[in-house]
Amino acid sequence: MDSAAPLETSLLLSGEDVPPVLERNVSGRSPFLLTSDHYGRLLPKALGDLGLPESELSRHIAWDIGIAGVAERLSDHLDAHLIAQRYSRLAIDCNRPIGAASSIPVFSESTAIPGNEALSREDADARQHEIFDPYHVRIDQAINQRAREKRPTILVSLHSFTPVYAGVARPWHIAALYQRDTILPPLLLRAFRAEGDLVVGDNEPYAVNDATDYTIPVHGEARGLVNSGIEIRQDLIADESGQQRFAERLARIFREIEAKMFGEAKV
Ligand SMILES: [Zn+2]
């Protein structure tokens, strides 16, 4: 059978759907491996609109607004491998453990998600096998390959957060999110604060933990990689100029951190 064979047993994605994983600069030489769990807001054709209007499918409950434009530019500036998920977190959240209530949410912020109610085991499994698993398998493979090639890997999980959640305004512009890593988050926090014009969140508006996160605990901590999450407030990266500014700023900061960690920045 050829490589298209798995589609014949697909229960969810069809030939009309794009593959779940987007990659950029796959052979990038940077030690930074960038991931973007909430990069896209696509839904598989078979799921329709999950019973939601476009106004809901375009807001933060569906994806991390603005992060795609930052992640791609940052990947290019650094020549860093980016692995991103094209499908909406409303189909299955790639930064939640399988089985967590927020993995396939029936409710997000103030919105009920009809298409996720009373989901059969088979339908939930299909979302895992066809969206969640391919993404995490690729991250795993990329880390393995780098290890085989004896290349360092610093895992950075890129996210954005809504400026107002459940009626509460968030003051932070950018944040480092972490749980067990003691190397990268302090370096990021120091660099963000040194910028002078940023309100910096230290594990705000969220902290990473095993019950509510997947990418950092599983690919970063469990594998002993230096790692951190980065969160940027969505109103700052809503348009291309904001995405460009933050990508350039982060690229400069990452290069400085790379130089600190490895002695000299690679050119
Ligand atoms: Zn996110």
Side-chain angles (χ1 to χ4, degrees), residues 63-110:
W63 63 328
D64 281 0
I65 293 167
I67 205 64
V70 175
E72 289 178 357
R73 288 174 174 83
L74 182 60
S75 167
D76 291 351
H77 285 316
L78 295 172
D79 192 26
H81 187 182
L82 166 67
I83 304 177
Q85 173 57 256
R86 288 192 177 102
Y87 285 99
S88 171
R89 63 193 300 173
L90 294 176
I92 186 165
D93 192 323
C94 283
N95 192 35
R96 298 288 181 274
I98 294 298
S102 52
S103 165
I104 301 178
V106 293
F107 210 76
S108 184
E109 196 179 16
S110 54

Side-chain angles (χ1 to χ4, degrees), residues 40-62:
R41 47 160 286 201
L42 296 176
L43 289 172
K45 297 267 186 305
L47 299 186
D49 56 13
L50 290 174
L52 295 172
E54 174 62 20
S55 57
E56 293 288 348
L57 294 172
S58 56
R59 73 187 195 97
H60 77 91
I61 62 169

Side-chain angles (χ1 to χ4, degrees), residues 40 62 76 80 95 105 172 186 189 208 218 220 236-237 265:
D76 291 351
N95 192 35
W172 311 281
L189 290 169
V208 173
V218 171
L236 305 175
I237 53 172

Side-chain angles (χ1 to χ4, degrees), residues 241-254:
S241 66
Q243 293 160 14
Q244 200 166 326
R245 275 199 303 277
F246 269 85
E248 283 168 5
R249 204 185 264 228
L250 285 175
R252 171 170 50 77
I253 288 170
F254 279 33

Side-chain angles (χ1 to χ4, degrees), residues 11 98 104 118-129:
L11 297 171
I98 294 298
I104 301 178
L119 209 58
S120 71
R121 177 67 185 269
E122 191 180 46
D123 286 343
D125 284 352
R127 296 194 197 183
Q128 178 189 344
H129 295 147

Side-chain angles (χ1 to χ4, degrees), residues 36-39 60 63-65 67 89 93 95-96 157-161 206 230-231 234:
S36 189
D37 307 331
H38 305 138
Y39 169 99
H60 77 91
W63 63 328
D64 281 0
I65 293 167
I67 205 64
R89 63 193 300 173
D93 192 323
N95 192 35
R96 298 288 181 274
S157 182
L158 296 166
H159 293 268
S160 70
F161 63 97
Y206 334 94
I230 290 179
E231 288 267 5
Q234 288 168 1

